[in-house]
Amino acid sequence: MTEDRVDHIQQQWRRERPDLDVGPQALVGRLHRLADRLGAELVTVYRRHGLNEGEFDVLATLRRAGAPYALAPGELAQHTMVTTGAMTKRLDRLEDAGLVARERSSVDGRGRVVALSEAGRRVIDAAFAEHVRNEHRLVSGLDPTEREQLVALLRRWSESLDEIPDLS
């Protein structure tokens, strides 16, 4: 296996600060670089369908909610982990594009829901199919066993981070 940029950075820090254990950089540095690369690769697919990352997220959330493909704006904000203000901006853009519609709730006549339009469903179905093909391409360097191992390790690490106090 060849050395990469993270190896080089660690060598420099070991030389300059031998008193510090920079071992965690091997994981965190690579994951950070990998996240940036993956993000760029994913966004490329979204753009081909006229979407940005947030818009894809909203349409995908509505689509996987199942028929009638409608959720309250607050529910959408929770599922996508953005503020209601950010959600409003996303919904305005998607509504202007004819991909969603704001409608009265059939459950609560005073409430509103965001519904996926037929055009929105076509866009997200096509975008998601390409997204899944792209994800398969992006993980193709790992065999199925390695993928399962990595999923298990990342899940375990993620759960352990929930137990660590925040810095703030």
Side-chain angles (χ1 to χ4, degrees):
M1 206 173 296
T2 61
E3 288 190 356
D4 64 7
R5 180 85 177 123
V6 175
D7 290 320
H8 182 69
I9 291 168
Q10 283 189 284
Q11 289 167 7
Q12 291 174 323
W13 277 119
R14 284 186 182 110
R15 182 190 68 232
E16 295 300 317
R17 292 295 308 267
D19 57 311
L20 296 176
D21 175 11
V22 295
Q25 279 184 332
L27 293 170
V28 175
R30 283 184 181 87
L31 282 174
H32 184 73
R33 293 172 64 80
L34 189 58
D36 287 347
R37 172 75 189 273
L38 291 173
E41 294 281 348
L42 296 175
V43 168
T44 298
V45 169
Y46 308 152
R47 285 189 188 127
R48 278 202 283 266
H49 295 273
L51 303 170
N52 65 32
E53 189 172 18
E55 294 162 347
F56 176 90
D57 195 19
V58 169
L59 295 179
T61 300
L62 288 169
R63 180 63 172 97
R64 71 176 185 265
Y69 311 112
L71 293 169
E75 288 179 291
L76 270 173
Q78 285 179 331
H79 287 292
T80 58
M81 297 184 287
V82 297
T83 65
T84 53
M87 180 56 64
T88 298
K89 289 179 184 179
R90 288 180 184 178
L91 294 177
D92 287 346
R93 287 191 305 266
L94 290 167
E95 190 172 37
D96 289 346
L99 303 177
V100 301
R102 291 178 173 110
E103 302 172 348
R104 285 205 184 282
S105 170
S106 60
V107 177
D108 174 9
R110 295 173 293 136
R112 307 282 281 170
V113 295
V114 177
L116 192 59
S117 70
E118 188 54 42
R121 185 171 172 179
R122 284 192 305 273
V123 167
I124 193 57
D125 282 353
F128 187 69
E130 185 177 351
H131 170 75
V132 170
R133 287 190 301 273
N134 190 35
E135 285 185 331
H136 279 280
R137 179 184 67 86
L138 293 170
V139 301
S140 65
L142 302 173
D143 67 41
T145 301
E146 290 170 326
R147 292 178 204 176
E148 289 176 23
Q149 291 170 339
L150 186 55
V151 166
L153 288 170
L154 291 173
R155 179 179 290 121
R156 183 168 162 226
W157 187 10
S158 180
E159 290 169 353
S160 76
L161 286 178
D162 293 340
E163 299 170 11
I164 298 173
D166 289 340
L167 282 177
S168 51

